[in-house]
Amino acid sequence: MSTLSVSLSRKELFLRACRGATLPRVPVWMMRQAGRYLPEYRELRAKARFPGSVQDAGSGREVSMQPFRRLDVDAIIVFSDI
């Protein structure tokens, strides 16, 4: 592992990747939808419809953080294409 990879935070690694910089490793990130299969996501969805869960900041944050915590990726991307 290079010294650069040890000193880069997840945020720095992600931002450098977005700028097309050379990196010591490939960062891993996912779209929020990738967590749909998680039991904790399904539990949350059983209590609230999807639009309400993302319009509320706390629920939207929780839905995004579930796969982040479980899979230990470098970043999460939240977007709306509808």
Side-chain angles (χ1 to χ4, degrees):
M1 183 178 273
S2 74
T3 305
L4 182 60
S5 65
V6 173
S7 64
L8 287 178
S9 69
R10 287 177 174 174
K11 180 179 178 180
E12 291 170 315
L13 186 68
F14 177 74
L15 292 175
R16 286 181 184 208
C18 290
R19 290 190 294 267
T22 301
L23 300 169
R25 70 173 178 84
V26 176
V28 177
W29 61 83
M30 64 176 29
M31 296 185 317
R32 201 263 339 131
Q33 289 92 335
R36 289 182 187 173
Y37 72 93
L38 298 176
E40 54 268 40
Y41 175 79
R42 292 179 181 269
E43 182 180 328
L44 184 69
R45 285 283 289 120
K47 297 175 187 173
R49 294 184 43 150
F50 180 75
S53 67
V54 295
Q55 289 172 344
D56 172 69
S59 295
R61 181 179 58 245
E62 178 56 29
V63 165
S64 297
M65 291 302 294
Q66 288 171 351
F68 182 79
R69 288 190 295 257
R70 186 179 278 249
L71 302 174
D72 195 34
V73 294
D74 295 305
I76 359 174
I77 299 170
V78 180
F79 70 96
S80 173
D81 59 352
I82 298 174

